[in-house]
Coordinates of all heavy atoms in Angstrom, one line a residue:
T124 N 120.6 113.6 102.6 CA 121.9 114.3 102.2 C 121.6 115.0 100.8 O 121.4 114.4 99.9 CB 123.1 113.3 102.0 OG1 123.1 112.5 103.1 CG2 124.4 114.1 101.8
P125 N 121.6 116.4 100.7 CA 121.7 117.3 101.9 C 120.5 117.2 102.8 O 119.5 116.7 102.5 CB 121.7 118.7 101.1 CG 121.0 118.4 99.9 CD 121.2 117.0 99.5
R126 N 120.8 117.7 104.1 CA 119.8 117.6 105.1 C 118.6 118.4 104.9 O 118.6 119.5 104.4 CB 120.4 118.0 106.5 CG 121.4 117.1 106.9 CD 122.3 117.6 108.0 NE 121.6 118.1 109.1 CZ 122.2 118.5 110.2 NH1 123.5 118.3 110.4 NH2 121.5 118.9 111.2
V127 N 117.4 117.9 105.2 CA 116.1 118.5 105.1 C 115.5 118.5 106.5 O 115.5 117.4 107.1 CB 115.2 117.8 104.1 CG1 113.8 118.4 104.1 CG2 115.7 117.7 102.7
E128 N 115.0 119.6 106.9 CA 114.5 119.7 108.3 C 113.1 119.3 108.4 O 112.3 119.6 107.5 CB 114.7 121.1 108.9 CG 116.1 121.4 109.1 CD 116.4 122.5 110.0 OE1 115.4 123.1 110.6 OE2 117.6 122.8 110.3
L129 N 112.8 118.5 109.4 CA 111.3 118.1 109.7 C 111.1 118.2 111.2 O 112.0 118.3 112.0 CB 111.2 116.6 109.2 CG 111.3 116.3 107.7 CD1 111.2 114.8 107.6 CD2 110.1 116.9 107.0
I130 N 109.9 118.0 111.5 CA 109.5 117.8 112.9 C 108.9 116.5 113.1 O 108.0 116.1 112.4 CB 108.6 119.0 113.3 CG1 109.2 120.3 113.3 CG2 108.0 118.7 114.7 CD1 108.4 121.5 113.8
G131 N 109.6 115.8 114.0 CA 109.1 114.4 114.2 C 108.4 114.3 115.5 O 108.5 115.2 116.4
I132 N 107.7 113.2 115.8 CA 107.1 113.0 117.0 C 107.9 112.0 117.9 O 108.3 111.0 117.4 CB 105.7 112.3 116.9 CG1 104.7 113.3 116.1 CG2 105.1 111.9 118.2 CD1 103.5 112.7 115.8
A133 N 108.1 112.4 119.1 CA 108.8 111.5 120.0 C 107.7 110.5 120.5 O 107.0 110.7 121.5 CB 109.4 112.2 121.2
D134 N 107.5 109.5 119.8 CA 106.4 108.5 119.9 C 106.9 107.3 120.5 O 107.8 106.7 119.9 CB 105.7 108.3 118.6 CG 104.5 107.5 118.6 OD1 104.2 107.1 119.8 OD2 103.9 107.2 117.6
T135 N 106.3 106.8 121.5 CA 106.8 105.5 122.1 C 106.0 104.3 121.7 O 106.2 103.2 122.1 CB 106.7 105.6 123.7 OG1 105.4 106.0 124.1 CG2 107.7 106.6 124.2
A136 N 105.0 104.6 120.8 CA 104.1 103.5 120.4 C 104.3 102.9 119.0 O 104.2 101.7 118.8 CB 102.7 103.9 120.6
S137 N 104.5 103.8 118.1 CA 104.6 103.3 116.7 C 105.9 102.5 116.5 O 106.9 102.8 117.1 CB 104.6 104.4 115.7 OG 103.5 105.1 115.7
D138 N 105.8 101.4 115.6 CA 107.0 100.7 115.4 C 107.8 101.1 114.2 O 108.9 100.6 113.9 CB 106.7 99.2 115.4 CG 105.5 98.9 114.5 OD1 105.0 99.7 113.9 OD2 105.2 97.7 114.5
L139 N 107.3 102.0 113.4 CA 108.0 102.5 112.2 C 107.8 104.0 112.1 O 106.8 104.5 112.2 CB 107.5 101.8 110.9 CG 108.3 102.2 109.6 CD1 109.6 101.6 109.5 CD2 107.4 101.8 108.4
T140 N 109.0 104.7 112.0 CA 108.9 106.1 111.8 C 108.5 106.3 110.3 O 109.2 105.8 109.5 CB 110.3 106.7 112.1 OG1 110.6 106.5 113.4 CG2 110.3 108.2 111.8
W141 N 107.5 107.1 110.0 CA 107.3 107.3 108.6 C 107.1 108.8 108.3 O 106.7 109.5 109.3 CB 106.1 106.5 108.1 CG 104.8 106.8 108.8 CD1 104.3 106.2 109.8 CD2 103.8 107.7 108.3 NE1 103.0 106.7 110.1 CE2 102.7 107.7 109.2 CE3 103.7 108.7 107.2 CZ2 101.5 108.4 109.0 CZ3 102.6 109.5 107.1 CH2 101.6 109.4 108.0
I142 N 107.3 109.2 107.1 CA 107.1 110.6 106.7 C 106.5 110.6 105.4 O 106.4 109.5 104.7 CB 108.5 111.3 106.6 CG1 109.3 110.7 105.6 CG2 109.2 111.4 108.0 CD1 110.6 111.5 105.2
Q143 N 105.9 111.7 105.0 CA 105.4 111.8 103.7 C 106.5 112.1 102.6 O 107.5 112.8 102.9 CB 104.4 113.0 103.5 CG 103.2 112.9 104.5 CD 102.1 113.8 104.0 OE1 101.1 113.3 103.5 NE2 102.2 115.1 104.2
C144 N 106.4 111.4 101.5 CA 107.5 111.4 100.5 C 106.9 111.7 99.1 O 105.8 111.4 98.8 CB 108.2 110.1 100.5 SG 109.4 109.8 101.6
K145 N 107.8 112.3 98.3 CA 107.5 112.4 96.9 C 108.0 111.1 96.2 O 108.9 110.5 96.6 CB 108.3 113.6 96.3 CG 107.8 114.9 96.7 CD 108.6 116.0 96.0 CE 108.1 117.4 96.4 NZ 109.1 118.4 95.9
P146 N 107.3 110.6 95.1 CA 106.1 111.3 94.5 C 104.9 111.1 95.4 O 104.7 109.9 96.0 CB 106.0 110.5 93.2 CG 106.7 109.2 93.4 CD 107.7 109.5 94.4
C147 N 104.1 112.1 95.6 CA 103.0 112.1 96.5 C 101.8 111.9 95.7 O 101.4 112.8 95.0 CB 103.0 113.5 97.2 SG 102.4 113.3 98.8
Y148 N 101.2 110.7 95.8 CA 99.9 110.5 95.1 C 98.8 111.1 95.9 O 97.9 111.8 95.4 CB 99.7 109.0 94.8 CG 100.8 108.4 93.9 CD1 101.7 107.5 94.5 CD2 101.0 108.8 92.7 CE1 102.8 107.0 93.8 CE2 102.0 108.2 91.9 CZ 102.9 107.4 92.4 OH 104.0 106.9 91.8

Side-chain angles (χ1 to χ4, degrees):
T124 312
R126 285 162 62 167
V127 174
E128 292 201 356
L129 291 174
I130 292 184
I132 294 175
D134 184 2
T135 55
S137 297
D138 48 3
L139 179 72
T140 299
W141 64 269
I142 59 172
Q143 301 202 105
C144 274
K145 288 183 183 170
C147 213
Y148 302 108

